[in-house]
Amino acid sequence: ADVVGLFDFPFMVHALAAGTAVALAAGPVGWFMVLRRQTFAGHTLSVISFPGAAGAALAGLPLGVGYFGACAAGALALGGIRRGDDGAEARESAATGTIQALALALGLLFVSLYHGLLNGVSGLLFGTFLGITAAQATLLALIALAAITVLVVCWRPLVFASVDTEVARARGVPVRVLSLGYLLVLGLTVNGVDVVALVDAELRRRHPELALIRSDAVGDLRAGWATVKRSWATTMRRAA
């Protein structure tokens, strides 16, 4: 009875729908990620959404544009690496690590320029699973459906290209296109839930002074600046 009662709460229904979509897509997408030895790339693509969303907020663009746009740009960058020849795995690992480091640095830079406080940003990035809205659950279900559909259509050539890249290339399989397409699918899957709104709400809850910093009133700006100075002084004392 207690379990059934959970479905009386909309946030639990949304979380269950989102979790089901994630589980259905994560199975085949994750299988290919392991088969292609691109687990590091999967982690990096999940990190890239951070600077994308922060950069979009800084530029005044819709957050979803930066969120998914950065993910697509990262997939394009990783997809440009030739796979299958000598040294390909080393080059891919080096490029993946470089992109990840650059993404984290840009994310912290954009957040600082946006006047957000950096305390706990890495922990806040993932939001809360129980805070997913109906619209986000629907979007995630559509992304999961698209990812599964693409994998079903490209299953045989993608398996061939993943197991023996050079032979697949010699047989005329479009290895580069498949690699890029899979990375796009992987990026959309690992970034399927748009948590930007959740992160912003959690930052506002933990740091109500952010409303003062973003205010147009002179008094609020002075109070916000005083809070920033106190926070900075506390940070310096901890560093010392």
Side-chain angles (χ1 to χ4, degrees):
D2 293 337
V3 175
V4 176
L6 293 176
F7 294 94
D8 294 334
F9 302 99
F11 70 90
M12 287 299 301
V13 176
H14 300 159
L16 177 62
T20 302
V22 168
L24 292 175
V29 174
W31 185 81
F32 272 109
M33 184 176 66
V34 175
L35 179 66
R36 297 174 60 83
R37 300 179 182 179
Q38 290 185 312
T39 53
F40 191 22
H43 173 64
T44 297
L45 289 174
S46 69
V47 169
I48 288 177
S49 61
F50 172 39
L58 180 63
L61 299 173
L63 299 184
V65 173
Y67 194 83
F68 292 108
C71 174
L76 289 172
L78 293 176
I81 303 172
R82 181 183 175 90
R83 294 175 56 87
D85 54 0
D86 293 337
E89 291 187 9
R91 289 197 304 272
E92 185 176 36
S93 296
T96 302
T98 302
I99 292 173
Q100 182 180 129
L102 178 62
L104 289 173
L106 288 176
L108 293 175
L109 173 62
F110 293 153
V111 168
S112 64
L113 293 176
Y114 189 58
H115 306 297
L117 298 181
L118 297 181
N119 296 335
V121 167
S122 60
L124 294 170
L125 177 61
F126 302 100
T128 168
F129 191 65
L130 295 179
I132 294 175
T133 65
Q136 289 171 326
T138 302
L139 175 62
L140 181 55
L142 293 175
I143 291 174
L145 178 61
I148 294 173
T149 301
V150 170
L151 290 181
V152 168
V153 172
C154 302
W155 188 275
R156 288 174 61 88
L158 185 56
V159 170
F160 190 10
S162 301
V163 173
D164 198 330
T165 304
E166 285 301 308
V167 174
R169 184 179 290 116
R171 293 289 298 272
V173 176
V175 173
R176 181 66 63 85
V177 174
L178 288 172
S179 178
L180 177 59
Y182 172 72
L183 286 171
L184 288 172
V185 170
L186 177 61
L188 289 176
T189 301
V190 298
N191 291 298
V193 182
D194 185 0
V195 300
V196 175
L198 306 177
V199 173
D200 186 63
E202 182 67 9
L203 281 172
R204 290 175 182 272
R205 185 186 70 81
R206 294 195 181 192
H207 305 289
E209 61 272 15
L210 287 176
L212 299 176
I213 297 174
R214 299 169 183 174
S215 174
D216 294 330
V218 176
D220 289 345
L221 291 174
R222 288 175 178 171
W225 177 244
T227 302
V228 171
K229 290 196 294 184
R230 288 196 298 270
S231 298
W232 178 253
T234 301
T235 301
M236 293 302 293
R237 286 196 298 270
R238 290 176 179 176

